[in-house]
Amino acid sequence: MNLQVFFSTPFACDALRVFEILALENKPDVSITTCRKVVENLGSSSSLKDLFYALKVNGILKCKVDKGVFQDIASRLKAAVNDAKAISQKTSLLLLPSKYLKLSVSLTINIIAVATVIVMTLSMQRLCSQAGFIVFQVKADLHHYLSGGNPVDHVTAAVGIWLANLKLLLLTIKPVENHCHPNLILQVFVNDQFLNWDPENRIKVRIVSARAYHSLFMHNMCIRPSPEELENFGTPDFTIYNAGKFPCNCFTHYMTSSTSIDLNLARREMVILGTQYAREMKKGLFSVMHYLMPKRQILSLHSGCNMGKDGDVALFFGLSGTGKTTLSTDHNRYLIGDDEHCWSENGVSNIEGGCYAKCIDLSREKEPDIWNAIRFGTVLENVVFDEHTREVDYSDKSVTENTRAAYPIEYIPNAKLPCVGPHPKNVILLACDAFGVLPPVSKLNLAQTMYHFISGYTALVAGTEDGIKEPQATFSACFGAAFIMLHPTKYAAMLAEKMESHGATGWLVNTGWSGGNYGTGNRIKLSYTRKIIDAIHNGSLLKAEYKKSNIFGLETPTAVEGVPSEILDPVNAWTDKDAYNETLLKLAGLFRKNFETFTNYTIGKGGDNLTEEILAAGPIF
């Protein structure tokens, strides 16, 4: 490779990076010629793009550059920032907040000088093409949302933050670090939208993204403002900067991969790097709501919600694969929301403006409302389709079983708009039991409801998590441990208080296996589960006869209309009774082991007495 012949700063930068990545020992010595060109570019009036690449090459080769040259560069970059401000004042389109338009240039000769300038606007094509790069500055005391959850050296204590959840850590990054991600970006997409349909407690969010896909996804998932609301939108309460096409600097302290989702609660900002999975934005905002809403004495919930024609509201808790979206989407009831809700003094309200439904093996017969909601404007993820007819094969799992459809909630014909309702009458906890020992339905007292809410049991079913080929038992506190910001008992205490105040009944519904564990038993038919849910809604299940199960002490009905009686008591569906008892004890042991994490905390106003009551509601050997 002859860099002297084919020299340009971008080319040289890429070539040198390849040498570094491949760890080539016999790479050509181009430092003299290349450094001469670098010094020439740094000292001339070259474009900001060429200047940027020259600085990068200098960072690799460590050329001898006079300190005064860097001072001149700093002046030029300041002028570029002022130019960006001037343009932003002359256009109605968005520029990032002025606090980002600050200069931070290292004058150390052997380190690349970087200006912390972010220019993202639809009308900024000229400046973007001139600057050619985006820089994200990571401040100290950053709330860093790690997908891997590795331990860190320094964890700063924060009042109320649940530090036991290793996926959410408060990091002290020292010193302040600048992450520079080169890119020639000509346009970005900006969404100004709302969270929470309760007008008294809604949150204004702004999403700045580099891909139309991400913009459309959030357009569907957040609440869409009216033209008048958009005109008077003002300053957002929270902002997302999604540059997921660009990897983060994995050599930065605490970074374990090229993916980084950084959440700063103090600044109310989130930056996404190194992943184009749109759900990161949705769940990042959900984490924010789990922090902000309890401070207003509002309970944030990872649940679906629907309402009957008589105004009876039901909440559906459950993780991916439990049927939360499917069961809350019922053409005989009004849909308030399928995934995220708030429970305040005014009743329940949907946090989002759309639905995010699994569509693996989707059919018109099984789920007509979701099927019909997939039309123009819906975002389909991970699906396989015919390139000629553009017909989707929902049974194709070649990409992943985690295929999804994101659509505005008004695509569901029986959606309740606005998405608010009165206080719930039924709280339904969904579990996909891969062990096959939990009853299809159990009525819970308040202590049992709290126990199973805090436990958040289900199974990781193939398709809901990457790398899962067979179901594995898992526990996720409050059915959403990855998103909650406070200790689980805080949310549990609020739920107990609201259920008691408004007379809500708790239910545990198993949508998993019966007659054996995964591999030997059968998945409980969706039609049976729907009959059970119907009986909960119409109140007939409250009048049923019940008997108490062993170990878990669950109250199970002896009969439910439309459901075979032999599956209502799990032991009757197993041919090998000894295997059933052995599996039941195994699952009970997993419950007990998981709950040891919470035994040192008092729950709610009842203190130790209530805590002991909830512990007693668990499995008894």
Side-chain angles (χ1 to χ4, degrees), residues 369-538:
D369 288 337
I370 296 176
W371 176 275
N372 293 327
I374 300 177
R375 57 180 190 262
F376 183 79
T378 296
V379 175
L380 289 176
E381 293 181 335
N382 301 325
V383 298
V384 177
F385 61 93
D386 187 287
E387 292 185 1
H388 300 289
T389 65
R390 304 189 70 80
E391 199 170 306
V392 178
D393 183 358
Y394 292 108
S395 64
D396 194 317
K397 307 173 184 178
S398 58
V399 177
T400 176
E401 290 195 23
N402 191 23
T403 56
R404 296 278 182 165
Y407 48 84
I409 194 167
E410 54 265 32
Y411 280 19
I412 299 295
N414 58 330
K416 185 184 181 304
L417 299 173
C419 301
V420 296
H423 298 285
K425 293 300 181 184
N426 292 293
V427 174
I428 302 170
L429 310 182
L430 302 171
C432 177
D433 177 29
F435 291 86
V437 295
L438 290 183
V441 61
S442 307
K443 184 174 68 173
L444 306 176
N445 58 36
L446 189 60
Q448 288 175 321
T449 304
M450 294 306 97
Y451 182 89
H452 287 279
F453 176 71
I454 294 173
S455 296
Y457 165 70
T458 189
L460 290 180
V461 183
T464 59
E465 298 289 341
D466 188 31
I468 300 297
K469 302 302 180 184
E470 295 183 358
Q472 299 177 7
T474 187
F475 297 88
S476 183
C478 307
F479 293 93
F483 319 121
I484 61 176
M485 306 285 277
L486 312 178
H487 194 274
T489 58
K490 301 287 187 182
Y491 303 98
M494 294 180 71
L495 180 60
E497 182 180 353
K498 291 182 180 298
M499 287 183 65
E500 195 169 25
S501 298
H502 302 287
T505 304
W507 306 88
L508 179 64
V509 174
N510 174 24
T511 62
W513 275 255
S514 176
N517 56 17
Y518 175 80
T520 59
N522 298 306
R523 187 79 186 260
I524 298 173
K525 292 183 179 180
L526 178 60
S527 59
Y528 295 161
T529 303
R530 287 200 182 277
K531 290 291 185 181
I532 290 171
I533 298 299
D534 288 344
I536 292 174
H537 290 325
N538 63 34

Side-chain angles (χ1 to χ4, degrees), residues 251-277:
F251 296 104
T252 304
H253 196 36
Y254 298 125
M255 294 292 179
T256 58
S257 72
S258 60
T259 299
S260 172
I261 298 92
D262 299 290
L263 176 62
N264 190 319
L265 294 175
R267 295 165 63 100
R268 300 196 175 193
E269 296 169 348
M270 183 167 71
V271 174
I272 298 174
L273 296 171
T275 175
Q276 298 183 60
Y277 188 28

Side-chain angles (χ1 to χ4, degrees), residues 81 84-85 95-103 116-119:
V81 170
K85 288 182 178 178
L95 263 181
L96 294 190
S98 59
K99 58 187 172 184
Y100 283 104
L101 302 176
K102 297 178 181 178
L103 193 62
T116 60
V117 181
I118 304 178
V119 182

